[in-house]
Amino acid sequence: MAPTVEEVTTKTGMVEIDPKNGLATKTNAAADTKLSPKDHANIEQAAAAAHDQPKTPTDHDDQQAAMTENEPKTDDDHHDEAKKDAASKVDVPTADETECKSDVAAKDETTKKEENVAVQIEAKTGVSFPVKLLDDGKALNAVGMRKKTILGLGIKIYGFGMYADNEKLKELMRSKIGSKVPSKPTKEMYQLVIDSNVGMMVRLVIVFGGLTMTMVKKNFDEGLGASIKKLNGGRKNDELSNKVMGEASDNIKLTAGSVIEITRLPGYILQTKVKDEVVSKVESELLCRAYFHMYLGEDAFDKDAKERFGMSLLSLF
């Protein structure tokens, strides 16, 4: 059995042990002269055993830990903590936010592509319209201008472009009129377009800088209301006409260049978008017919635009 450290140190006198490696470093000179080689070996063996034993925390260790905790933090410490806090506060986008950003990116991409498409200029307003819509392929068939008399003055309100699914219009014209091409657009041709369910869209680009959403609503209610009355046997339907712009907020700012789009969707659905925001979607055959009657009917807003649309119909044959 190996001797303990106490037994060895009692026999040898004072022995200094290196705290780092647990080995004997120096002994009392007087005692050292009396040690035998066997005693030296026992000292080394006991010191090695003491070094292998697990260290038990002492009061001195606790004081050192407390002093470390109470030491003032340096700038580097504060910087590291600030980075950890910043990392923990990073916002992770929600599914709705991601989808919204995707929609915005898609709209921006469509706008960039439209800039590379040929355009037609409406001469009286200077507004340009792409000859084809990239999102659904509708073609521009005519451009025109809406003018309103205010205090005896003819005020240009907006330029407009009329788009249509020309493949469907071609099928419609040939099925109803036949292969013989009329010499000029006929009332029957215009009426076929007005009454049909073919996809069409009118893009309005505001040119009058003083226009407000309230004025737009009033103008739509009057013009569309009169068109509904004419197609409805002289009966008014204010509730129906008000549905087109009724949900649009009066707080929407309309400046020169603002865009409003009225689209006839499959199933006789009239959709209204103001500055890229859908404000209404109404299913009504009467409403769809009445709206396009304002542009292609007997009392069209711009008769020249109506004539140009008619010529585009002839080209479909």
Side-chain angles (χ1 to χ4, degrees):
M1 177 178 178
T4 65
V5 175
E6 287 79 2
E7 292 172 343
V8 173
T9 53
T10 300
K11 182 175 181 180
T12 60
M14 293 183 62
V15 178
E16 292 185 11
I17 304 298
D18 189 330
K20 294 182 179 180
N21 54 32
L23 300 178
T25 59
K26 183 174 67 174
T27 64
N28 182 283
D32 192 46
T33 59
K34 299 177 182 179
L35 293 177
S36 66
K38 183 177 180 180
D39 293 331
H40 279 290
N42 289 339
I43 291 173
E44 295 295 337
Q45 184 179 359
H51 177 67
D52 292 337
Q53 291 180 355
K55 185 179 178 181
T56 303
T58 63
D59 292 340
H60 176 70
D61 294 333
D62 294 338
Q63 291 176 1
Q64 285 292 103
M67 289 175 64
T68 302
E69 292 178 357
N70 294 328
E71 282 182 359
K73 295 182 179 178
T74 64
D75 291 340
D76 290 339
D77 294 332
H78 287 295
H79 182 65
D80 291 341
E81 289 184 357
K83 289 203 301 187
K84 290 179 181 178
D85 290 341
S88 65
K89 293 178 181 178
V90 173
D91 292 332
V92 178
T94 64
D96 290 341
E97 290 172 340
T98 302
E99 182 178 356
C100 181
K101 289 179 180 179
S102 298
D103 290 342
V104 172
K107 289 174 185 176
D108 290 343
E109 185 65 23
T110 300
T111 301
K112 290 178 181 178
K113 288 181 179 178
E114 278 195 357
E115 290 176 354
N116 297 324
V117 174
V119 298
Q120 182 175 342
I121 307 295
E122 200 291 305
K124 298 175 184 176
T125 60
V127 176
S128 62
F129 295 89
V131 298
K132 188 175 183 179
L133 300 180
L134 296 178
D135 56 350
D136 59 11
K138 288 187 180 70
L140 179 65
N141 288 347
V143 296
M145 178 193 67
R146 175 77 164 106
K147 188 164 64 173
K148 187 79 172 177
T149 301
I150 302 176
L151 298 177
L153 299 175
I155 305 298
K156 298 175 183 178
I157 305 300
Y158 57 80
F160 65 84
M162 288 189 281
Y163 293 84
D165 183 341
N166 281 350
E167 288 301 316
K168 292 294 180 62
L169 280 183
K170 181 191 296 186
E171 294 175 7
L172 177 67
M173 293 294 112
R174 289 183 173 181
S175 65
K176 299 295 183 180
I177 296 177
S179 58
K180 186 177 180 180
V181 183
S183 58
K184 62 179 182 179
T186 64
K187 181 178 179 180
E188 180 187 4
M189 292 172 60
Y190 289 121
Q191 197 62 47
L192 283 172
V193 176
I194 292 171
D195 294 342
S196 76
N197 191 32
V198 173
M200 288 185 63
M201 186 262 275
V202 179
R203 175 180 288 185
L204 319 177
V205 181
I206 307 299
V207 295
F208 178 56
L211 197 64
T212 65
M213 201 65 225
T214 302
M215 294 169 65
V216 170
K217 287 181 178 181
K218 183 178 180 182
N219 180 67
F220 265 77
D221 291 348
E222 291 176 355
L224 191 55
S227 185
I228 289 175
K229 183 178 179 180
K230 178 170 285 190
L231 298 180
N232 197 34
R235 297 187 301 275
K236 295 176 62 177
N237 191 334
D238 293 337
E239 181 181 356
L240 185 59
S241 60
N242 290 340
K243 287 182 178 181
V244 176
M245 285 291 181
E247 297 300 321
S249 171
D250 291 334
N251 295 326
I252 296 177
K253 303 297 182 184
L254 294 176
T255 57
S258 296
V259 176
I260 298 174
E261 294 179 340
I262 315 291
T263 306
R264 178 169 62 192
L265 301 174
Y268 292 103
I269 296 173
L270 197 67
Q271 173 184 277
T272 303
K273 292 173 69 175
V274 178
K275 298 177 70 172
D276 238 355
E277 178 185 349
V278 176
V279 297
S280 70
K281 196 180 266 191
V282 185
E283 182 179 354
S284 169
E285 181 178 349
L286 175 59
L287 184 62
C288 288
R289 291 172 57 228
Y291 181 76
F292 288 97
H293 183 270
M294 294 192 297
Y295 293 91
L296 300 176
E298 295 176 357
D299 300 318
F301 287 154
D302 187 329
K303 294 188 182 299
D304 290 338
K306 172 186 173 181
E307 184 71 16
R308 284 190 287 271
F309 189 92
M311 296 304 294
S312 73
L313 292 178
L314 293 180
S315 69
L316 297 178
F317 284 88

